[in-house]
């Protein structure tokens, strides 16, 4: 073809964006990526969305970091508020790797020796490889004797994982999104897969087209509702009463699967007692959904022979996020809609490797494979393997770490590929905290908003430049090899971490990424029978894999659950309102999220030419009737304000946004939505309530 003759090579890879994990083939000319096509991967079957197909030129951005940078001693950390890339030399000077690494590791060693390891924390990345995640948490734990290591799972599905671990003994999906091929009823709640998991959305639409019931629950209308048999627009923050009303219907209309419940679960009587008061009639007004419709939804889900649930951050990012997920688990269990083809529980994972990074132990409470740091036997095994005494207590989570930084108790941070100066809630506090750090090392490919606060910046590799494995939302472990070289003096992340560890006194000697994988897999029974050699041969293996050559198990929980009793736990939930309800001063509900063209904080996609051309302006979306009622005009500049701060952006009319609500994507550095969001945490998953803040809006310039 013309492309093949024009390109120097066409190389296999994996998409670096969302958790779908589409396999790609990348056409390269010289060191440039000139085209990306879909491969026949198990997750994408040849398809790609706009991000995977047209968003890869971020790796060739002139804003890539190519040399280590050290902060100029006379530039205070709060002086960069309006800096742009062209100001880089005013704030930082270029340095050799030797000087930068000595300063980076030396700063951590100084704090450790003076204040102890608990004065240090690390944010690893869900965008990097499994091997990088493993090495990062090992460096923080082994090098500094603290479990203060976390990553962005805390901001996306930590509450889902908490509920899944408690309920079914595993934090991963029970079935892939392609299980929708076999489903009669698909429930999508708190997720907008057309925007955030577009290739996964195609399976849901195809299922609806062949006649499956598609129930789409969202406080905002969305495109997937056009394909739905049952669109459900409900009041924000009322997931628990709505889902409990469905559970009530199933139990009191005796639509449950008693044989499944008796053989596989515990806690049914307590659940029945709890939902007694949650009749659809009692909950309808609170949820904004008619009682009879709630009953129909429950009946459809329970009576279908194969029902599956997909959910996203609309479920998890609440102070009652764990309770929301507990309700979904209960719905699935009491109807026996799990452990068979076409059934199951699937939290749609946001980043390309958030599943893998979590599995690899980039979490403050657990070592790899979710093994508790508080269990002395497990800790003893790691102490033997790593030759150091380890912290016996859970570490702090993302938002807790920023609180301790602000309080002066954490003095040094290592941030690899994360961007808390955009992603954390209540940015006035988060950025103030970053500015107070005595020592901040940022390892990234761009000068992110977080990097502006750094003392040392280490230029790293983009996904298409590094070797390693990624685990997608479906538990499919996929190997990707480099398709281009990192620019300038940028180095492989894993090599930087090994260098850091050695300079912190650790005896790390890895010959390559394969050796790191092998060490990691030895700690993780989930990776049994998935060797590096096998991944080199097959490219992808789904875990768990029972044999060294057979396929992995895409659907789990055929018989029993990996809990102590072997049974799944039904956990009753109660009403917990959003932390901050609208009032006269802040009468609207602000919700935040992502958009099709931009991925998370926008560090990559805002630098992707075509994607940024599509959506280049910071916007707040509002229903046209609300716009008219407030005397505003679409396209004008407005100020959105909450009790924590304000941002100025362009007003967009959007009928999908329910009246009384505002929606702001969190990818725009010009107007960071997280200056507005509420840092209040779900008590179990420690996830902030990004999806619900009381807010107000006014014309820019008006008092
Ligand atoms: Fe990449 Fe996700 Fe789009 Fe697939 S659906 S191409 S993994 S962003």
């Amino acid at each position: 073809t013309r492309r093949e003759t024009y390109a120097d090579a066409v190389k296999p890879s994996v998409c670096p964006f969302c958790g779908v994990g589409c396999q790609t083939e990348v056409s390269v000319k010289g060191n440039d990526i000139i085209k990306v096509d879909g491969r026949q991967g198990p997750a994408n079957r040849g398809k790609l969305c706009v991000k995977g197909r047209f968003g890869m030129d971020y790796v060739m951005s002139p804003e890539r970091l190519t040399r280590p940078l050290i902060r100029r001693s006379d530039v205070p950390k709060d002086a960069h508020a309006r800096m742009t890339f062209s100001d880089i030399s005013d704030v930082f000077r270029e340095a050799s790797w030797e000087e930068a690494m000595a300063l980076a590791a030396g700063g951590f060693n100084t704090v450790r020796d003076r204040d102890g390891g608990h004065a240090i924390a690390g944010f690893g990345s869900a965008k990097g490889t499994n091997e990088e995640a493993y090495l990062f948490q090992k460096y923080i734990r082994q090098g500094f004797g603290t479990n203060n290591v976390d990553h962005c799972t805390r901001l996306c599905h930590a509450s889902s994982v908490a509920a899944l671990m408690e309920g079914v003994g595993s934090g991963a999906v029970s079935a892939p999104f392609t299980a929708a091929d076999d489903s009669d009823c698909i429930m999508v709640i708190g997720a907008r897969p057309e925007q955030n998991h577009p290739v996964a959305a195609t399976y849901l639409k195809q299922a609806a087209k062949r006649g499956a019931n598609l129930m789409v629950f969202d406080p905002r209308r969305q495109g997937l509702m056009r394909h739905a048999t049952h669109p459900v627009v409900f009041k924000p923050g009322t997931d628990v009463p709505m889902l409990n009303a469905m559970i009530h219907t199933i139990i009191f209309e005796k639509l449950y699967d008693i044989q499944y419940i008796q053989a596989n679960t515990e806690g049914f009587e307590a659940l029945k007692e709890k939902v007694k008061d949650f009749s659809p009639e009692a909950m309808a007004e609170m949820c904004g959904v008619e009682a009879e419709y709630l009953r129909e939804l429950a009946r459809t889900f329970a009576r279908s022979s194969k029902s599956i649930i997909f959910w996203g951050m609309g479920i998890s990012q609440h102070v009652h996020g764990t309770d929301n997920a507990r309700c979904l688990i209960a719905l699935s269990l009491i109807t026996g809609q799990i452990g068979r083809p076409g059934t199951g529980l699937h939290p749609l994972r946001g980043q390309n490797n958030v599943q893998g990074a979590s599995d690899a132990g980039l979490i403050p409470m657990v070592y790899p494979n979710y093994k508790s740091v508080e269990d002395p036997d497990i800790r003893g095994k790691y102490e033997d393997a790593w030759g150091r005494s380890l912290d016996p207590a859970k570490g702090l989570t993302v938002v807790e770490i920023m609180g301790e930084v602000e309080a002066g108790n954490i003095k040094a941070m290592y941030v690899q590929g994360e961007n808390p100066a955009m992603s954390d809630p209540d940015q006035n506090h988060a950025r103030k905290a970053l500015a107070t750090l005595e020592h901040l090392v940022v390892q990234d490919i761009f000068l992110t908003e977080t990097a502006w606060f750094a003392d040392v910046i280490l230029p790293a590799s983009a996904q298409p430049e590094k070797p390693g494995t990624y685990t997608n939302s479906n538990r499919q472990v996929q190997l990707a090899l480099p398709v281009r070289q990192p620019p300038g003096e940028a180095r492989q992340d894993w090599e930087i971490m090994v260098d850091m560890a050695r300079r912190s006194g650790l005896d790390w000697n890895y010959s390559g990424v394969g050796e790191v994988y092998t060490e990691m897999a030895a700690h993780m029974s989930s990776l049994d029978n998935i060797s590096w050699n096998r991944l080199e041969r097959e490219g992808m293996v789904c875990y768990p894999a029972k044999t060294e050559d057979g396929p992995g198990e895409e659907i789990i929980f055929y018989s029993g659950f990996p809990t102590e009793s072997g049974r799944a736990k039904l956990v009753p939930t109660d009403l917990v309102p959003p932390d901050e309800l609208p009032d006269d001063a802040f009468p609207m509900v602000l919700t935040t999220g992502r958009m099709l063209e931009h991925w998370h904080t926008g560090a990559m996609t805002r630098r992707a030419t075509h994607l940024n051309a599509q959506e280049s302006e910071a916007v707040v979306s509002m229903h046209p009737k609300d716009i008219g009622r407030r005397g505003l005009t679409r396209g004008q500049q407005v100020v959105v304000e909450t009790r924590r701060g304000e941002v100025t952006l362009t007003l967009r009319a959007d009928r999908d946004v329910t009246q009384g609500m505002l929606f702001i994507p969190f990818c725009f550095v010009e107007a960071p939505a997280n200056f507005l969001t509420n840092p209040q945490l779900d008590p179990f998953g420690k996830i902030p309530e990004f999806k619900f803040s009381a807010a107000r809006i006014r014309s820019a310039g008006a008092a």
Side-chain angles (χ1 to χ4, degrees), residues 15 17-18 20-22 48-49 51-52 197-199:
C15 177
F17 296 112
C18 86
V20 173
C22 296
L48 291 179
C49 81
K51 287 189 282 287
H197 305 85
V199 167

Side-chain angles (χ1 to χ4, degrees), residues 1-14 23-30 32-40 48 53 464 481-484:
T1 66
R2 194 170 146 211
R3 171 173 64 84
E4 280 158 349
T5 50
Y6 183 62
D8 295 337
V10 179
K11 301 180 184 180
S13 189
V14 177
Q23 291 189 359
T24 57
E25 56 177 28
V26 181
S27 299
V28 183
K29 186 162 185 65
D32 288 351
I33 292 174
I34 57 171
K35 192 170 191 291
V36 182
D37 289 300
R39 270 193 294 150
Q40 287 296 324
L48 291 179
R53 194 176 289 282
L481 297 175
V483 302
R484 73 187 296 272

Side-chain angles (χ1 to χ4, degrees), residues 392-403:
K394 291 178 193 170
L396 298 169
T397 59
V398 164
V399 179
E400 291 171 335
I401 285 170
M402 298 312 274

Side-chain angles (χ1 to χ4, degrees), residues 238-526:
T238 62
D239 311 69
V240 166
M242 179 176 67
L243 296 169
N244 270 348
M246 290 176 66
I247 295 170
H248 173 105
T249 305
I250 289 165
I251 291 179
F252 290 97
E253 293 189 9
K254 295 199 176 351
L255 301 171
Y256 51 84
D257 182 339
I258 190 63
Q259 283 183 332
Y260 187 87
I261 291 168
Q262 287 176 347
N264 295 288
T265 72
E266 55 196 22
F268 180 68
E269 288 307 320
L271 179 72
K272 184 176 176 182
E273 180 61 26
K274 174 59 72 181
V275 299
K276 214 169 51 185
D277 299 330
F278 285 84
S279 72
E281 290 69 25
M283 296 298 117
E285 192 182 338
M286 186 186 297
C287 310
V289 184
E290 286 182 11
E292 193 49 36
Y293 197 35
L294 284 170
R295 288 189 180 276
E296 184 188 331
L297 294 163
R299 290 168 189 149
T300 305
F301 184 86
R303 285 177 179 153
S304 295
S305 61
K306 287 171 280 184
S307 296
I308 189 166
I309 305 175
F310 295 92
W311 74 92
M313 257 117 273
I315 283 290
S316 58
Q317 289 176 337
H318 286 282
V319 289
H320 46 84
T322 304
D323 283 343
N324 291 348
R326 284 169 172 154
C327 290
L328 297 176
I329 295 165
L331 257 182
S332 177
L333 290 170
I334 62 172
T335 50
Q337 300 284 14
I338 192 165
R340 295 176 287 118
T343 68
L345 294 163
H346 189 123
L348 287 152
R349 309 309 300 254
Q351 302 212 12
N352 57 334
N353 197 38
V354 69
Q355 182 65 58
S358 301
D359 295 346
L362 212 50
I363 295 180
M365 308 87 177
V366 293
Y367 297 118
N369 242 18
Y370 308 95
K371 298 295 182 200
S372 172
V373 295
E374 294 176 302
D375 183 319
D377 292 340
I378 292 164
R379 192 169 59 254
K381 282 182 192 160
Y382 277 98
E383 286 177 337
D384 289 347
W386 294 350
R388 295 263 172 142
S389 41
L390 299 174
D391 186 356
K394 291 178 193 170
L396 298 169
T397 59
V398 164
V399 179
E400 291 171 335
I401 285 170
M402 298 312 274
E404 288 303 298
V405 171
E406 201 176 357
N409 297 324
I410 289 180
K411 296 181 165 54
M413 280 190 72
Y414 186 8
V415 178
Q416 182 234 353
E418 291 267 85
N419 194 7
M422 280 292 283
S423 60
D424 280 18
D426 193 5
Q427 278 294 314
N428 276 317
H429 281 279
R431 293 189 182 199
K432 190 171 154 211
L434 287 169
T436 63
L437 279 165
E438 176 184 322
H439 185 61
L440 173 61
V441 176
V442 172
Q443 181 173 318
D444 212 307
I445 62 172
F446 292 119
L447 199 65
T448 61
E449 292 67 40
T450 304
W452 283 107
F453 292 91
D455 296 280
V456 186
I457 301 174
L458 306 174
S461 302
Q463 187 265 2
E465 296 156 1
K466 58 174 92 180
T469 60
Y470 303 86
T471 306
N472 69 1
S473 195
N474 288 348
R475 290 182 271 105
Q476 289 155 340
V477 184
Q478 310 199 88
L479 176 63
L481 297 175
V483 302
R484 73 187 296 272
Q485 293 298 311
E489 296 178 21
R491 290 173 69 186
Q492 296 288 336
D493 287 78
W494 78 272
E495 289 177 348
I496 300 172
M497 287 182 230
V498 169
D499 197 343
M500 289 284 283
R502 285 190 184 146
R503 288 169 192 264
S504 292
L506 303 177
D507 182 22
W508 283 21
N509 287 295
Y510 296 101
S511 58
V513 174
E515 194 180 338
V516 179
Y517 176 89
T518 302
E519 177 182 309
M520 174 182 73
H523 291 294
M524 297 173 65
S525 57
S526 59

